[in-house]
């Protein structure tokens, strides 16, 4: 069992670095925490489940078993020293709301919280959570676009505006992007491309694509999806 007090100074040290605290290390929280670590961010992970904490020990900067719904616990973990906290407790709505309220009371500058449904999300927003995320809904929407189109990857930047990764269509190969009418005819922008050498490059107006190139296309969702489906 982890003693909270012994982690106060460590947590404070982590908070001083470019770091994030992740509360709730279920599938979403653990995957987020690992990804942050992989991209060089220091992570303090918190969960009330001993087995989960043990399984992530050594994979995050610090993992602590603690009940995040307790104000004194959050204070001992120096949560208020973190600039960014992700609250990844979902199913236990009571724990999610209580913890969110404490994080805001402690004046954590940026709180992101996961919601399981619209009602949960609305309460989190009303409390003042800075960004509410709906991983299941967002993943479902993303997969829907991937499953019906030819895109290799899809990211909705805003409603009706997206970025996709797709194979360069034959009809825009062998000419400059301007001559191929990528913007004028297809209404999209090719932001970058990956030729056979596997290195991504920024695309310019005079870039000439070849067979096998992969492109990153930005524009209105309908347009980028249509572009990804060109052969
Ligand atoms: P996922 O889909 O990411 O697995 P979930 O929404 O199904 O998550 P939840 O039950 O919401 O799972 O919890 C996510 C994690 O948060 C669990 O590992 C759980 O142990 C942890 N957790 C729940 N309540 C608290 C709490 N009060 N303090 C700390 N951690 C908690």
């Amino acid at each position: 069992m982890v003693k909270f007090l012994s982690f106060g100074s460590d947590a404070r040290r982590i908070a001083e670095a470019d770091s994030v605290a992740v509360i709730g290390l279920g599938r979403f929280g653990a995957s987020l925490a690992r990804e942050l670590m992989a991209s060089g961010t220091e992570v303090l992970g918190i969960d009330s489940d001993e087995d989960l904490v043990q399984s992530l020990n050594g994979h995050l900067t610090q993992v602590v078993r603690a009940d995040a719904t307790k104000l004194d616990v959050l204070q001992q973990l120096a949560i208020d020293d973190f600039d960014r906290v992700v609250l990844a407790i979902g199913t236990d709505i009571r724990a999610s709301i209580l913890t969110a309220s404490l994080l805001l009371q402690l004046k954590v500058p940026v709180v992101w919280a996961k919601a399981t449904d619209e009602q949960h999300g609305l309460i989190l927003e009303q409390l003042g959570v800075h960004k509410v995320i709906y991983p299941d809904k967002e993943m479902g929407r993303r997969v829907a676009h991937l499953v019906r189109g030819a895109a290799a990857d899809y990211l909705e930047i805003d409603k009706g505006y997206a970025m996709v990764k797709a194979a360069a269509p034959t009809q825009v190969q062998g000419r400059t992007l301007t001559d191929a009418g990528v913007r004028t005819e297809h209404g999209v922008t090719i932001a970058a491309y990956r030729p056979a050498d596997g290195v991504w490059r920024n695309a310019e107006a005079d870039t000439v694509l070849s067979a096998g190139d992969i492109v990153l296309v930005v524009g209105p969702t309908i347009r980028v999806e249509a572009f990804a489906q060109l052969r």
Side-chain angles (χ1 to χ4, degrees):
M1 154 131 182
V2 174
K3 286 202 188 81
F4 301 135
L5 272 175
S6 64
F7 285 98
S9 58
D10 277 353
R12 196 156 271 119
R13 183 192 59 74
I14 300 170
E16 282 163 9
D18 175 31
S19 56
V20 176
V22 179
I23 301 177
L25 300 168
R27 286 161 302 178
F28 173 73
S31 136
L32 170 86
R34 282 173 178 271
E35 193 64 24
L36 285 167
M37 288 295 292
S39 54
T41 303
E42 299 230 33
V43 177
L44 168 68
I46 301 166
D47 201 289
S48 51
D49 184 302
E50 177 77 46
D51 291 341
L52 266 179
V53 167
Q54 291 298 340
S55 70
L56 283 164
N57 201 11
H59 297 284
L60 308 183
T61 313
Q62 190 75 61
V63 200
V64 181
R65 190 184 85 83
D67 180 357
T69 61
K70 303 267 189 296
L71 179 63
D72 57 333
V73 166
L74 294 179
Q75 283 170 327
Q76 280 170 328
L77 288 168
I79 280 294
D80 48 331
D81 281 356
F82 282 79
D83 286 333
R84 290 164 294 166
V85 176
V86 180
L87 175 53
I89 301 174
T91 316
D92 187 344
I93 294 183
R94 181 180 169 276
S96 159
I97 291 168
L98 270 174
T99 308
S101 155
L102 292 176
L103 293 172
L104 295 164
Q105 187 184 323
L106 288 167
K107 302 209 172 359
V108 173
V110 176
V111 178
W112 286 39
K114 166 183 137 164
T116 44
D117 58 37
E118 302 278 343
Q119 277 178 317
H120 182 192
L122 189 64
I123 296 169
L124 291 170
E125 270 170 29
Q126 284 168 343
L127 279 174
V129 164
H130 307 100
K131 171 92 179 161
V132 178
I133 33 182
Y134 302 86
D136 294 342
K137 193 171 133 195
E138 281 156 19
M139 183 52 90
R141 288 178 57 159
R142 188 161 164 261
V143 172
H145 285 277
L146 290 173
V147 96
R148 76 191 183 89
D153 211 346
Y154 171 92
L155 175 72
E156 186 174 55
I157 293 163
D158 218 332
K159 203 164 173 54
Y161 204 80
M163 179 160 76
V164 305
K165 186 173 110 183
T170 315
Q171 57 178 278
V172 302
Q173 294 168 15
R175 315 180 266 167
T176 66
L177 297 183
T178 307
D179 290 346
V182 170
R183 279 194 180 159
T184 49
E185 279 177 41
H186 300 286
V188 298
T189 297
I190 295 185
Y193 68 109
R194 191 186 71 193
D197 66 6
V199 181
W200 281 98
R201 295 182 176 81
N202 290 333
E204 312 290 347
D206 58 358
T207 295
V208 177
L209 298 170
S210 308
D213 288 359
I214 303 294
V215 290
L216 201 58
V217 189
V218 190
T221 307
I222 295 175
R223 295 291 202 134
V224 289
E225 290 201 321
F227 188 81
Q229 274 161 352
L230 294 175
R231 285 285 159 255

